Amino acid sequence: MEESGDLYDVHETNDPSSWEDQHPQCLQDVAKVEPLRRKIKYYFMNPCEKYHARGRKPWKLILQIIKIAIITIQLVLFGLSNQMVVTFKDENLMTFKHLFLKDYVDGGIDPYAVYRQADVYDHIEYVIQQYRLLHNITVGNHEYEKKDSVYTPLLVCQDFYRNGTIYPSNETFEVDAHVDTECLRVYPQPVHEALQYFKLDFIRLISVKITFVLKAINLQTVRHRELPDCYDFTLIITFNNQAHSGQIKVDLENKVDINECREWKVTGAYGRSIYLTVLFDCLIIIMCIISFALCTRSVITGIQLQLEYSHYCRKHFGKELLWSDKLEFVSGWYILIIVSDTLTIIGSVLKIEIQTKVLTSYDVCSIFLGTGTMFVWMGVIRYMGYFKKYNILILTLRAAFPNVIRFICCAGIIYLSYCFCGWIVLGPYHEKFRTLNTVSECLFSLINGDDMFPTFKNMKQKNSLVWMFSRVYLYTFVSLFIYMILSLFITLITDTYDTIKQQQQSGTPTSELQKFLSECKDLPNSGAYRLDKNNSCFLNCFINRKYRTQERLTSEA
């Protein structure tokens, strides 16, 4: 708001005369100026005013409305399909934990771990037995992986130091840091004892990984008239002993690959034709390309008008156009629509490849489609801004944006300093300060007043000095950000809102560009803006100027 305030002070004057009276040297060129003024004024009109001005239907507005509707439908359909995929993955992960992890309990507070050597062997043997008995125990359609009509084996691999002798009693040790790997192959058909020749040296042991692949088919999509997908689940069960603390944590990781089923036949229901979905996605791509072209043309038109107006200012006033006026010609809404169209096109292409089973990157497609749809809906605010009672939000955000960025940069430096300090000092004594990510999340929650009492209470009192420091740290952070920084931020937005509201009520132009356009009094339905007309607003402006001059002379006499 500092730039706009300075600009307003520079051009503020008590002289009631018009722009032509202030610049009489430009009267001979005013006939050339009026076409430029008319073009710029037409550029800033809303679709309804442009329709009254030149009789052109608002095709761009109609296209945006239709695009919003079909993109939303596309997102909903993709979201429902993606939801079934995510549900199938999560349910299989939970199934595998109950099948292959011994005595697994959902939602356990303590970490799933083993503490005795015999327990490690028992858990590994349990995984192998469950793997071999899969057909007899599972209620799903899980099957072993085959390659060339041969089952792929289960791999039990241990990583250990090449050499190591440790004597804690004498406080001496010798370790060779090179890591060796030893693997055991286990096939579904039991031939011999799996761990008969597999021994673990827990002094040198780093980790044990059990890896195998299972296949399944997601049949729930049939009832939703979609062809089922075939899944490859790569299970990795890790026994982590890197810390050698006496606790070996056990974790199960599931990597999923989605493939097109080779042969399929559905009876009793009509599978939805994939070509209709692909055709719908192609229609969206075509509409986004048209929208991209129209908005790009509008941006280019605005840049051309800005260059013409800049040349006019240099020629008649000998000065460069302010950046605030230059940015008026580049509509941020058009840029937003161009970005959303680009994201939607990329997301639609990925969606087509997913539908045709060329790709299975649901997450990447979700990011593009979700972000594109978000920007499309945000673009609706542009049309709300055509109403004076609703555009106060847009004007306030645009005017406060530079100051908000500067304010956030300064406040962010203080915020980062607290993050680093809390991480290094309070991390060993509080679980919310163990990593920089959790520290940032905890402090951001404190700013919003969430989870404040547990943050104070859960601080371990093992060290009195650190406990006292934590109190000073938390109290100063809360006081500084909630009572000072957050209040200043709200005040910044409020002052901007009040300034914009006063400018709307006064109706006075606040920039050089607005003053330049205010000289043309022609209404959109006056016919002066039609391309097939030779009349201009110069005659009306000239008559109005002479009329005002005569009234002033008469009043002085």
Side-chain angles (χ1 to χ4, degrees), residues 338-350:
I338 291 174
V339 173
S340 68
D341 290 335
T342 304
L343 295 176
T344 304
I345 291 172
I346 297 175
S348 299
V349 172
L350 293 177

Side-chain angles (χ1 to χ4, degrees), residues 379-396:
V380 178
I381 304 178
R382 170 175 179 259
Y383 303 106
M384 300 294 294
Y386 293 142
F387 303 95
K388 293 184 178 180
K389 294 184 178 180
Y390 294 95
N391 67 345
I392 186 69
L393 173 63
I394 302 172
L395 296 177
T396 303

Side-chain angles (χ1 to χ4, degrees), residues 23-224:
H23 307 282
Q25 70 277 10
C26 302
L27 286 177
Q28 65 273 18
D29 296 331
V30 72
K32 300 180 181 179
V33 173
E34 291 307 324
L36 175 62
R37 179 185 286 131
R38 190 185 305 111
K39 286 194 299 182
I40 297 176
K41 189 172 183 179
Y42 176 80
Y43 177 77
F44 288 106
M45 289 182 182
N46 60 52
C48 295
E49 292 175 343
K50 289 182 178 180
Y51 175 74
H52 292 295
R54 292 186 179 179
R56 292 182 178 178
K57 294 180 176 60
W59 297 113
K60 193 187 305 180
L61 173 61
I62 297 174
L63 178 64
Q64 296 302 323
I65 295 175
I66 298 175
K67 190 180 71 173
I68 290 174
I70 62 176
I71 286 179
T72 304
I73 295 174
Q74 179 195 41
L75 186 71
V76 171
L77 295 177
F78 180 77
L80 295 175
S81 178
N82 192 24
Q83 183 178 355
M84 291 187 291
V85 174
V86 173
T87 302
F88 190 72
K89 291 180 181 179
D90 294 341
E91 291 179 354
N92 274 274
L93 177 61
M94 187 59 62
T95 299
F96 296 144
K97 288 183 177 180
H98 282 276
L99 286 178
F100 300 107
L101 299 183
K102 187 177 181 180
D103 300 329
Y104 178 79
V105 179
D106 292 335
I109 300 177
D110 297 331
Y112 186 80
V114 292
Y115 302 89
R116 297 182 301 176
Q117 295 183 10
D119 292 337
V120 177
Y121 286 106
D122 289 343
H123 280 70
I124 296 176
E125 186 67 34
Y126 181 82
V127 173
I128 295 174
Q129 291 179 358
Q130 295 294 98
Y131 174 74
R132 285 174 169 172
L133 299 175
L134 180 65
H135 290 159
N136 298 329
I137 61 176
T138 182
V139 296
N141 55 16
H142 301 99
E143 183 56 82
Y144 305 112
E145 182 188 36
K146 279 187 177 181
K147 290 185 177 179
D148 299 329
S149 300
V150 178
Y151 290 116
T152 57
L154 175 147
L155 296 178
V156 183
C157 298
Q158 61 168 323
D159 296 332
F160 51 89
Y161 293 117
R162 181 172 298 176
N163 186 21
T165 54
I166 301 175
Y167 302 99
S169 59
N170 298 332
E171 298 181 350
T172 59
F173 68 92
E174 181 181 354
V175 176
D176 186 349
H178 292 86
V179 177
D180 293 333
T181 302
E182 179 182 322
C183 293
L184 173 68
R185 295 175 179 267
V186 180
Y187 290 89
Q189 299 83 0
V191 179
H192 53 79
E193 290 294 330
L195 300 181
Q196 183 177 1
Y197 304 102
F198 190 79
K199 301 299 180 182
L200 301 176
D201 186 357
F202 291 93
I203 299 299
R204 298 183 295 153
L205 180 64
I206 299 176
S207 65
V208 178
K209 291 186 178 181
I210 303 176
T211 307
F212 56 95
V213 179
L214 297 179
K215 303 177 76 68
I217 300 177
N218 186 6
L219 295 178
Q220 65 175 333
T221 58
V222 174
R223 302 189 61 182
H224 297 273

